[in-house]
Amino acid sequence: MNWLVFHIVSGQSFFTGIILVIISALTASSTRPASKRLTALAFSIGVIAIAVSSTAIPYWLYALSATVTLAWIVSHLKTSWQSWAPYAMVGAWLIAGLFEIPYHIMPSVAISSDRTVGVIGDSVTAGAGSDDKAETWPSILAREHQLVAQDISHVGETAASALKRVKQNPFTAHVVVIEIGGNDILGSTTAAKFADDLDDLLSHLTSEDRQLLMFELPLPPFCHEYGRVQRAVAAKYNVKLIPKRVFLSIIAGTASTLDTIHLSQSGHQLMAAKVWQIIEPAFAQIEN
């Protein structure tokens, strides 16, 4: 995967954009031609980096940041605003960055009462396009760490079809890992329909003694709403989101995928290792 694509889709370009926008605010007062060009360049690239990152911060925070940024632009004409507009813009974008940081931190898990892990996924997990003898990451996870895997992953799965499959195959696992949503985004599911379907799925899975972990969706540019839906529904049901960079770090390697998305055997091995790093504390104190 191209490093720039990784930087954008992982959401890291959001922070790069914030840094560049802040630099432009702090250098705008210089009268030197070179500094003015630097300010314009930093601001332009920064705004683009923020926009294409599809970072799902709340609308009100985008509105606040956009408003003070507009005020900063106007301050170049209205000199009385120059005493506060740059600092307001810096403050607003810093708040936006601080709001986003938690979604880039790996989630923690509590101790589980057994060695069973549930897995819900689409073709990335089910192994579409792989050799028939290929071992998928839930199977590798179970074999290498003496777990029982309740894996109901299926090719073409969406949030709606996953709910039907869960109802047909009830989970007993107290730790469930969810890799769902890619087909909703790339298919015909609207963001509103995805919100309803994901709410139904997570509502059905939620129980007092169960921990739900879900891969946050890597989003194409300008697909903020799907990310906003996923975060809102996940928060509603206390589902812990796994940062986008985790999945992207696996498919970034050319040997890890068959077609840039679906995992090869080495990709499944890497995925199993990544997931185990996250869920290991849940099983650390359980006797094999």
Side-chain angles (χ1 to χ4, degrees):
M1 177 182 290
N2 180 283
W3 71 268
L4 182 59
V5 174
F6 182 94
H7 193 66
I8 292 172
V9 180
S10 67
Q12 293 174 355
S13 68
F14 181 73
F15 298 104
T16 300
I18 287 176
I19 291 170
L20 290 173
V21 167
I22 288 175
I23 288 174
S24 68
L26 298 178
T27 60
S29 59
S30 175
T31 58
R32 291 184 299 176
S35 295
K36 288 184 176 296
R37 287 193 293 269
L38 175 62
T39 296
L41 182 62
F43 180 74
S44 299
I45 296 176
V47 169
I48 292 172
I50 290 169
V52 299
S53 71
S54 287
T55 300
I57 60 173
Y59 285 121
W60 67 264
L61 193 46
Y62 267 126
L64 172 64
S65 301
T67 299
V68 296
T69 300
L70 180 61
W72 172 76
I73 294 172
V74 173
S75 72
H76 289 77
L77 302 174
K78 194 176 181 64
T79 55
S80 61
W81 289 15
Q82 291 179 3
S83 61
W84 60 268
Y87 303 105
M89 185 168 81
V90 170
W93 283 112
L94 282 177
I95 291 171
L98 290 172
F99 190 94
E100 178 63 16
I101 284 175
Y103 293 100
H104 293 256
I105 298 174
M106 296 291 278
S108 60
V109 296
I111 296 173
S112 175
S113 59
D114 61 27
R115 297 191 68 83
T116 303
V117 59
V119 181
I120 301 171
D122 52 29
S123 54
V124 170
T125 296
S130 299
D131 187 295
D132 289 341
K133 296 180 180 179
E135 188 178 20
T136 61
W137 68 262
S139 297
I140 296 171
L141 193 67
R143 174 175 55 78
E144 292 188 345
H145 303 289
Q146 296 77 53
L147 302 178
V148 174
Q150 295 181 321
D151 179 17
I152 61 169
S153 303
H154 195 271
V155 175
E157 202 79 294
T158 62
S161 63
L163 175 59
K164 295 178 182 177
R165 206 171 306 279
V166 169
K167 289 180 176 179
Q168 295 169 357
N169 304 274
F171 277 139
T172 59
H174 294 144
V175 176
V176 176
V177 180
I178 305 166
E179 180 271 307
I180 272 298
N183 290 318
D184 291 283
I185 294 176
L186 299 176
S188 59
T189 308
T190 64
K193 179 70 164 55
F194 179 56
D196 291 338
D197 293 343
L198 187 61
D199 190 286
D200 290 342
L201 174 63
L202 298 185
S203 174
H204 182 80
L205 287 169
T206 298
S207 68
E208 188 174 338
D209 60 348
R210 177 175 290 155
Q211 300 179 76
L212 301 178
L213 297 98
M214 186 174 190
F215 283 93
E216 186 168 17
L217 294 168
L219 299 173
F222 312 112
C223 287
H224 303 70
E225 193 57 29
Y226 289 92
R228 191 169 285 108
V229 162
Q230 186 184 33
R231 289 182 176 184
V233 179
K236 179 179 178 180
Y237 295 105
N238 196 30
V239 178
K240 297 178 179 181
L241 292 176
I242 301 171
K244 305 173 192 177
R245 71 175 186 278
V246 175
F247 175 61
L248 287 173
S249 68
I250 296 167
I251 66 173
T254 54
S256 298
T257 65
L258 301 167
D259 53 9
T260 72
I261 294 178
H262 297 102
L263 302 178
S264 63
Q265 185 61 76
S266 61
H268 280 288
Q269 193 72 46
L270 286 172
M271 186 73 148
K274 289 286 187 182
V275 172
W276 178 245
Q277 288 177 3
I278 298 169
I279 68 173
E280 180 181 8
F283 306 105
Q285 297 185 27
I286 302 177
E287 294 293 335
N288 292 338

